[in-house]
Amino acid sequence: MVKVVIVMPSYNEAESVPRMVSAMADILPNIKNHQVELLYVDDTSPDGTADIVRQFQKKYPWLHLLVNSKKEGLGAAYAAGMPYAMEELKADWLMEMDADFQHPPADIPRLIEQIDRGYDYIVASRYVPGGSIPNNWSIDRKFLSVVGNLVARITLMMPHIHDVTGGFKLSRVKGFMDEFDFSTLLSKRFAYKIHLFFYMVQKGAKVKEVPFAFGNREEGESKIIKNEMQETLRVIFLLQWHNPKIRRFLKFAVVGGTGLTLQTLFFEITSVFTHILTPSIATVIGGEIAIISNFTLNNLWTFKDYQVTGAKIIGKFFQFNLTSLLALAIQFVVLRIGEFFARGNGLIIQFFYFGAIAIVLVANYYIYNKFIWKTSLK
Ligand SMILES: Nc1nc2c(ncn2[C@@H]2O[C@H](COP(=O)(O)OP(=O)(O)OP(=O)(O)O)[C@@H](O)[C@H]2O)c(=O)[nH]1
Ligand SMILES: [Mg+2]
């Protein structure tokens, strides 16, 4: 027997409270092997949502209410509600759920029954077979939801999970939510979900996706803020920026970008615009300029924790040059082939130019980690 607390943020959801509470009164007592309670987290809604909840509290001992003095967003409501559910209500599991019936209460038992199967994170999923988003959503909202979710899956390196932006799920408290510092939650808005998902997966949570049909809002008004995409991208960036592995790669990419900019400027000026040099020679000389910049920036910044100092710099710089020469050789060969195919066509030559750089990027990152700064890819 574990205790599940459904944390349900509400803002101006007065209309749906009576129906929600009565749906819960039908469903919760029928979940025999676990104790399930409901906690409304209301931000002093002007429509009096909290007062209506209070009325029902007299009748239902499993109904709880936490009132925040001001509205700061969905993430902020969870950051208040979840610790309350764990500390005051002694929850073993936390359920996230919307108040507007888009997360059907009838699906609660299907999620809860997975608790006994050894999972840590049980997620109602719109993007697995059997799951869906509302048909009548505008094409923009569908696109944003599908693409936003896809971008989050890929950039957070969780391609195996199909729905990372949904808000209907169950999370294990012990070893997971009880170790999360809510003061570090990266978004007070809808993007809080991405942070929690990322945290759970990093903690090694066993994830189960249960298909469900995201319903239509039946009463009240949408609180979703239009520009949620930007907030989502901000959270993804911050999450990855705090991930040392990714951070190093991002730094490498930034340094490579400055080198590439220097090299490209040189290439464009001397071969595309003025024809002072042939494309292959311009690439090589521009590359030499980039090498010095890249070595210096990588040593001082990207690989700071493995920084090479003193006399060793000379040897390492020599090695770095060898790596870069290998890179240049690859670029030279590719560009020679390009010259053959392009016959003076600037667009085709640029395609070969950037193609060669992509090959070289992957090879370089590997060699820097393995042989130059010897991080063994940690
Ligand atoms: N306490 C609190 N609850 C919020 C806040 N913003 C949203 N909510 C609640 O969070 C849930 C989800 O918000 P919705 O506006 O339904 O967002 P959505 O489901 O993405 O959008 P719709 O499809 O238009 O309903 C609802 O239960 C809201 O009442 C907030 O700032 N504070
Ligand atoms: Mg909704």
Side-chain angles (χ1 to χ4, degrees):
M1 176 80 106
V2 299
K3 182 163 177 182
V4 179
V5 174
I6 302 170
V7 183
M8 182 172 281
S10 62
Y11 194 76
N12 285 346
E13 303 286 0
E15 281 172 86
S16 66
V17 173
R19 213 152 60 84
M20 180 58 76
V21 172
S22 95
M24 292 291 182
D26 287 340
I27 293 163
L28 305 191
N30 288 321
I31 300 173
K32 293 288 177 230
N33 44 349
H34 299 302
Q35 185 187 349
V36 188
E37 304 196 344
L38 174 63
L39 169 69
Y40 269 94
V41 183
D42 189 65
D43 294 352
T44 322
S45 300
D47 73 350
T49 304
D51 290 331
I52 299 177
V53 175
R54 278 190 201 101
Q55 290 298 317
F56 285 105
Q57 276 187 297
K58 293 174 195 151
K59 190 169 169 198
Y60 300 113
W62 45 259
L63 183 58
H64 307 276
L65 173 67
L66 175 69
V67 178
N68 298 317
S69 56
K70 63 175 196 277
K71 171 176 162 42
E72 290 186 296
L74 186 59
Y78 275 114
M82 287 179 151
Y84 182 89
M86 290 187 281
E87 286 151 29
E88 307 295 325
L89 307 178
K90 309 287 175 225
D92 300 305
W93 283 78
L94 298 173
M95 181 176 268
E96 285 161 66
M97 187 172 176
D98 288 358
D100 60 1
F101 281 90
Q102 283 179 298
H103 299 155
D107 288 333
I108 293 172
R110 286 201 303 129
L111 295 180
I112 289 182
E113 73 188 18
Q114 299 293 334
I115 285 179
D116 300 322
R117 307 211 171 131
Y119 296 107
D120 306 301
Y121 205 29
I122 300 156
V123 180
S125 177
R126 298 164 295 178
Y127 300 118
V128 291
S132 62
I133 53 178
N135 252 330
N136 65 354
W137 267 8
S138 70
I139 192 80
D140 289 13
R141 188 158 183 198
K142 279 185 183 161
F143 179 83
L144 275 180
S145 178
V146 172
V147 171
N149 186 59
L150 204 65
V151 167
R153 279 169 71 187
I154 294 167
T155 52
L156 294 175
M157 296 195 293
M158 309 192 294
H160 53 295
I161 292 157
H162 300 85
D163 192 350
V164 299
T165 54
F168 189 22
K169 50 182 81 106
L170 260 173
S171 12
R172 187 188 289 278
V173 168
K174 197 163 185 298
F176 294 92
M177 297 314 285
D178 59 351
E179 291 175 19
F180 186 78
D181 177 358
F182 280 89
S183 69
T184 65
L185 195 62
L186 290 171
S187 176
K188 292 188 166 186
R189 291 164 38 179
F190 284 72
Y192 83 91
K193 302 167 191 184
I194 299 204
H195 188 179
L196 287 188
F197 217 121
F198 189 72
Y199 167 79
M200 290 298 278
V201 170
Q202 283 226 312
K203 270 260 169 191
K206 260 188 86 185
V207 181
K208 170 74 181 173
E209 285 189 277
V210 180
F212 97 108
F214 190 69
N216 281 308
R217 173 179 265 284
E218 290 168 17
E219 288 127 330
E221 270 171 30
S222 175
K223 278 108 217 161
I224 192 149
I225 302 154
K226 292 287 166 277
N227 208 348
E228 226 41 56
M229 193 67 164
Q230 209 175 315
E231 174 79 351
T232 303
L233 292 176
R234 185 184 69 85
V235 171
I236 291 173
F237 177 81
L238 288 174
L239 286 172
Q240 291 299 39
W241 193 244
H242 290 108
N243 176 344
K245 258 193 217 168
I246 301 294
R247 191 167 173 153
R248 195 190 299 286
F249 186 78
L250 286 177
K251 286 179 173 178
F252 163 82
V254 169
V255 169
T258 52
L260 175 63
T261 307
L262 287 175
Q263 189 180 10
T264 304
L265 273 178
F266 188 84
F267 175 80
E268 298 282 340
I269 292 167
T270 59
S271 78
V272 178
F273 291 109
T274 63
H275 305 288
I276 295 170
L277 300 170
T278 63
S280 51
I281 297 297
T283 305
V284 171
I285 299 178
E288 295 286 0
I289 297 168
I291 288 173
I292 298 167
S293 158
N294 285 0
F295 179 76
T296 311
L297 293 176
N298 276 324
N299 195 41
L300 293 178
W301 191 46
T302 317
F303 296 97
K304 195 168 185 261
D305 44 343
Y306 294 89
Q307 199 174 86
V308 183
T309 51
K312 271 190 172 167
I313 289 184
I314 299 164
K316 287 292 178 186
F317 184 61
F318 181 71
Q319 278 183 21
F320 190 86
N321 266 276
L322 281 185
T323 314
S324 306
L325 276 179
L326 174 73
L328 280 173
I330 295 171
Q331 291 184 342
F332 185 76
V333 170
V334 175
L335 265 286
R336 285 296 289 174
I337 298 168
E339 283 168 4
F340 175 76
F341 282 108
R343 294 174 195 277
N345 181 318
L347 196 69
I348 298 181
I349 215 68
Q350 292 191 36
F351 170 79
F352 275 87
Y353 179 72
F354 289 109
I357 285 166
I359 300 169
V360 159
L361 256 177
V362 176
N364 273 2
Y365 192 63
Y366 179 76
I367 293 171
Y368 295 174
N369 276 282
K370 188 96 181 160
F371 301 107
I372 298 190
W373 283 279
K374 295 202 162 73
T375 67
S376 47
L377 283 170
K378 266 189 212 108

